[in-house]
């Protein structure tokens, strides 16, 4: 084990959907400094979602510089930087590494119709079993296929298809390299051979040379280029550990390093994840399986609609309340607390941005059922909270069947600050809810993986000794029985109207292709 002094600091950098989070911890996992810098998502067309890679890179530089300044003032020295990033982004580069596209992120649904075409091809039936990724519009597989068909001029100029993490590493090290974890969430990577899947690349008509070299999540990169090192306040010789994807690292940062517990995260989206020692797939293709680090995998499902539903509620119905001094989310939580469980018969299927697990339906949209004259805005908030938790539970229910029971639930993400949200989660899941010592579990997981890679931790089991958890709530059995009944209504409602989502999508497309959407009634 490498000697670690009391003045050592270990950085974790998490490139998330809406911001870059950077934290520094000591050898005990205690937080020394923390900063966050936001960046925007733009929606140039309905269903599209993009980000500017340069703005993300700039945000990371700013956040790291802020943290290193604080550490210098405290007398700490950075020993390593571990890197976490969001999954599923796609950036196309030209022969001079210029941007041919922005970063097309997981929210982007433009390839939904392309997914339908891919599924019609017989060989695609095996894609899931080789990659661990269902065929869906969030995956780079579908995005590349869409680009090939709809932007042939751009497609012909592409020399590299990369993720936002690869873009960051290119800027820092002038290398094209990616870890097994982020690669395993692309739909292009064979999780059994730990390499790009040649048959899928042939299907997409792309070459292996157009993708980065894949490496272990414990790979150390150095030296860093001088200019970015100076901008961040780091020595070029500080080792960077390439790390993993944010979901995988959220498990590590929550201390879930072995089977038996489930991690629930809600940020912009949401996920339920369990750890395995080997890949595990679902015969019905409802879950996904990604690499975490050597000897560890996560089996999971994710929902598209987590905190973004709360954000939509705030922006749409509570502009007046947003001008108050207190957090709008505290206002919404308080309003939801005024309403009894079940929101007096109001049910919200919160598929505002389509849905991933377990339905994998790019055409799904939000549904409100049971609306009556007695309902007010606070009922909608309560129903939205319950609907998001039902979405998470629908994943948990499947994981219990294919993996086995998880007696412990550990939560992370922004929603840990909401007592009502956690209590609803506990009552629906019928499990006690535990919270780890930081909500920034992905950034913490990145720092811990960095410590492991340089020998500051002896083995991965040491991570479990560092993470501390506390119990925040326990289930109410009577409410669990009630919520179970409401959850059955939630599932039946989806399946009864599933065909209508497609019909509405066709009508939306028809309106966009004509002037119907611009007309008014006379």
């Amino acid at each position: 084990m490498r000697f670690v002094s009391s003045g050592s600091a270990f950085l974790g950098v998490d490139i998330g959907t809406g911001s870059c989070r950077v934290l520094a911890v000591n050898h005990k996992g205690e937080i020394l400094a923390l900063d966050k810098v936001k960046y925007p998502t733009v929606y140039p067309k309905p269903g599209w979602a993009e980000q500017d890679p340069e703005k993300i890179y700039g945000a990371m530089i700013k956040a790291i510089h802020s943290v290193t300044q604080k550490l210098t003032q405290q007398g700490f020295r950075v020993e390593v930087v571990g890197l976490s990033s969001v999954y599923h982004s796609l950036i196309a580069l030209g022969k001079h590494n210029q941007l041919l596209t922005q970063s097309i992120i997981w929210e982007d649904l433009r390839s939904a119709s392309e997914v339908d075409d891919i599924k019609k091809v017989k060989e695609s039936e095996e894609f899931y079993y080789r990659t661990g990724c269902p065929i869906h519009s969030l995956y780079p597989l579908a995005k590349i296929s869409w680009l090939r068909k709809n932007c042939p001029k751009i497609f012909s100029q592409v020399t590299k298809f990369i993720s936002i993490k690869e873009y960051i590493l290119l800027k820092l090290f002038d290398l094209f390299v990616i870890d097994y974890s982020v690669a395993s969430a692309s739909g292009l990577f064979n999780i059994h051979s730990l390499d790009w899947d040649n048959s899928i690349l042939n299907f997409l008509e792309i070459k292996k040379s157009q993708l980065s070299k894949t490496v272990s999540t414990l790979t150390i990169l150095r030296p860093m280029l001088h200019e970015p090192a100076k901008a961040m306040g780091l020595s070029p010789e500080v080792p960077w550990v390439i790390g993993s994807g944010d979901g995988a690292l959220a498990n590590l940062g929550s201390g879930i390093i072995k089977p038996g517990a489930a991690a629930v995260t809600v940020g912009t989206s949401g996920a339920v994840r369990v750890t395995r020692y080997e890949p595990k797939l679902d015969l019905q293709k409802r879950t996904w399986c990604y690499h975490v680090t050597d000897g560890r995998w996560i089996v999971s499902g994710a929902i598209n609609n987590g905190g973004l539903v709360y954000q939509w509620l705030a922006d749409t119905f509570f502009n007046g309340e947003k001008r108050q001094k207190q957090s709008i989310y505290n206002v919404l939580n308080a309003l939801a607390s005024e309403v009894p469980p079940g929101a007096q018969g109001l049910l919200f299927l919160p598929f505002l941005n389509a849905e991933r697990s377990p339905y994998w339906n790019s055409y799904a949209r939000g549904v409100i059922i049971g609306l009556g004259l007695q309902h007010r805005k606070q009922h909608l908030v309560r129903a939205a909270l319950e609907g998001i938790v039902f979405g998470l539970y629908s994943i948990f229910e499947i994981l219990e069947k294919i993996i086995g029971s998880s007696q412990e639930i550990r939560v992370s993400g922004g929603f840990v600050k909401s007592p009502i949200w956690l209590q609803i989660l506990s009552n629906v899941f019928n499990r006690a809810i535990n919270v780890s010592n930081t909500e920034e579990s992905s950034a913490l997981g990145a720092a811990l993986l960095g410590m492991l890679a340089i020998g500051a931790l002896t083995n991965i089991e040491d991570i479990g000794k560092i993470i501390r958890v506390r119990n925040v709530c326990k289930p109410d059995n009577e409410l669990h029985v009630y919520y179970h009944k409401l959850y059955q209504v939630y599932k039946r409602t989806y399946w009864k109207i599933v065909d209508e989502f497609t019909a509405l999508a066709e009508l939306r497309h028809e309106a966009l292709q004509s002037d119907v959407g611009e007309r008014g009634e006379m």
Side-chain angles (χ1 to χ4, degrees):
M1 181 174 177
R2 175 174 171 167
F3 173 75
V4 177
S5 72
S6 59
S8 296
F10 308 90
L11 262 62
V13 178
D14 178 35
I15 308 296
T17 298
S19 64
C20 174
R21 296 170 171 84
V22 179
L23 61 72
V25 297
N26 62 16
H27 67 285
K28 297 179 181 178
E30 298 167 337
I31 296 177
L32 304 172
L34 174 68
D35 201 7
K36 176 175 74 173
V37 178
K38 296 181 179 180
Y39 34 80
T41 299
V42 296
Y43 303 91
K45 294 182 181 181
W48 292 31
E50 299 179 345
Q51 293 177 335
D52 184 340
E54 278 298 307
K55 288 184 178 179
I56 295 174
Y57 174 68
M60 185 197 73
I61 296 289
K62 184 176 180 180
I64 293 177
H65 182 259
S66 171
V67 168
T68 57
Q69 278 191 316
K70 295 173 185 176
L71 293 174
T72 299
Q73 292 167 2
Q74 298 174 53
F76 286 96
R77 180 184 67 257
V78 176
E79 300 284 352
V80 69
V81 181
L83 186 57
S84 163
S85 78
V86 67
Y87 289 118
H88 317 310
S89 56
L90 179 73
I91 302 167
L93 298 181
K95 65 179 180 179
H96 301 296
N97 293 341
Q98 77 274 22
L99 291 168
L100 298 180
T101 69
Q102 295 292 292
S103 180
I104 305 172
I105 67 172
W106 63 267
E107 282 186 74
D108 194 282
L109 300 172
R110 74 184 72 176
S111 61
S113 59
E114 187 65 23
V115 167
D116 294 338
D117 291 340
I118 294 173
K119 288 181 177 179
K120 293 174 184 175
V121 179
K122 185 172 179 55
E123 67 180 290
S124 70
E125 294 176 3
E126 296 299 315
F127 286 1
Y128 170 77
Y129 300 110
R130 297 208 298 272
T131 67
C133 302
I135 298 174
H136 187 267
S137 57
L138 87 157
Y139 287 109
L141 177 136
K143 294 178 170 75
I144 292 173
S145 185
W146 181 91
L147 196 66
R148 180 187 63 183
K149 183 177 293 185
N150 294 275
C151 305
K153 186 175 180 180
I154 291 176
F155 185 82
S156 66
Q157 299 176 53
V158 177
T159 57
K160 290 288 183 181
F161 291 104
I162 62 173
S163 68
I164 187 59
K165 177 183 267 193
E166 290 158 272
Y167 187 80
I168 295 293
L169 295 174
L170 176 65
K171 299 281 284 188
L172 297 181
F173 298 98
D174 196 27
L175 294 171
F176 283 108
V177 62
I178 192 58
D179 59 89
Y180 293 153
S181 179
V182 172
S184 70
S186 66
L188 311 174
F189 184 81
N190 190 305
I191 60 174
H192 308 289
S193 64
L194 294 183
D195 200 358
W196 301 116
D197 190 290
N198 287 322
S199 62
I200 293 177
L201 303 192
N202 291 336
F203 174 82
L204 292 172
E205 299 176 11
I206 64 174
K207 300 175 182 177
K208 197 172 182 178
S209 62
Q210 291 177 282
L211 302 174
S212 297
K213 179 183 178 182
T214 59
V215 297
S216 163
T217 58
L218 298 172
T219 298
I220 294 173
L221 302 173
R222 65 177 167 190
M224 195 182 355
L225 298 176
H226 179 75
E227 185 176 341
K230 182 179 179 181
M232 291 184 287
L234 290 169
S235 164
E237 293 303 319
V238 170
W240 281 62
V241 174
I242 193 168
S244 196
D246 57 355
L249 289 170
N251 267 38
L252 286 185
S254 299
I256 299 179
I257 57 173
K258 57 185 179 181
V264 176
T265 302
V266 177
T268 304
S269 56
V272 184
R273 299 178 300 272
V274 296
T275 298
R276 296 279 295 180
Y277 297 131
E278 69 286 318
K280 177 69 175 179
L281 301 173
D282 173 35
L283 292 177
Q284 297 184 48
K285 305 178 181 178
R286 295 166 296 181
T287 58
W288 41 259
C289 181
Y290 303 157
H291 190 80
V292 178
T293 190
D294 297 354
R296 296 293 190 282
W297 297 80
I298 53 171
V299 182
S300 177
I303 58 173
N304 277 357
N305 304 280
L308 69 79
V309 177
Y310 238 30
Q311 183 65 56
W312 174 80
L313 287 169
D315 294 343
T316 306
F317 299 107
F318 295 95
N319 277 312
E321 289 83 352
K322 286 172 68 175
R323 290 190 285 269
Q324 298 178 13
K325 290 185 178 180
Q326 65 173 311
S327 164
I328 182 58
Y329 301 110
N330 290 339
V331 172
L332 296 183
N333 290 337
L335 287 171
S337 299
E338 298 174 1
V339 177
Q344 293 184 304
L346 189 65
L347 183 63
F348 189 174
L349 279 62
F351 307 142
L352 304 186
N353 192 39
E355 193 50 295
R356 279 184 275 176
S357 302
Y359 306 121
W360 297 100
N361 189 341
S362 297
Y363 301 125
R365 293 296 183 271
V367 176
I368 297 171
I369 185 171
L371 190 64
L373 293 174
Q374 77 274 22
H375 291 122
R376 298 293 181 266
K377 290 191 291 186
Q378 54 265 45
H379 292 87
L380 187 60
V381 176
R382 176 86 191 203
L385 284 180
E386 293 171 345
I388 294 167
V389 173
F390 285 154
L392 293 167
Y393 184 72
S394 67
I395 300 168
F396 183 72
E397 186 178 48
I398 293 168
L399 291 174
E400 292 266 281
K401 292 177 181 177
I402 67 173
I403 301 294
S405 181
S406 297
Q407 294 304 313
E408 183 187 3
I409 303 294
R410 293 191 186 181
V411 299
S412 61
F415 85 132
V416 301
K417 298 176 182 178
S418 170
I420 183 173
W421 210 337
L422 295 179
Q423 190 60 59
I424 292 171
L425 186 78
S426 181
N427 291 335
V428 172
F429 279 55
N430 199 29
R431 296 287 193 281
I433 303 299
N434 296 328
V435 176
S436 56
N437 47 329
T438 175
E439 66 182 74
E440 303 296 348
S441 56
S442 294
L444 177 58
L448 294 171
L449 199 64
M451 293 171 69
L452 181 64
I454 65 169
L457 294 176
T458 304
N459 54 58
I460 197 169
E461 280 71 27
D462 288 343
I463 291 175
K465 301 172 185 177
I466 288 176
I467 303 301
R468 297 181 300 279
V469 298
R470 57 187 173 87
N471 178 253
V472 291
C473 53
K474 296 181 179 179
D476 179 307
N477 186 63
E478 187 176 343
L479 284 179
H480 171 69
V481 172
Y482 173 78
Y483 273 130
H484 184 72
K485 294 176 182 177
L486 189 59
Y487 172 65
Q488 301 308 314
V489 179
Y490 170 95
K491 288 199 296 186
R492 288 198 301 270
T493 299
Y494 173 83
W495 289 114
K496 285 180 178 178
I497 64 172
V498 64
D499 292 339
E500 309 312 325
F501 290 133
T502 304
L504 285 171
E506 291 171 351
L507 287 172
R508 285 195 302 272
H509 179 74
E510 181 181 324
L512 286 171
Q513 298 302 312
S514 66
D515 63 349
V516 172
E518 304 296 328
R519 294 182 189 174
E521 300 288 351
M522 297 298 292

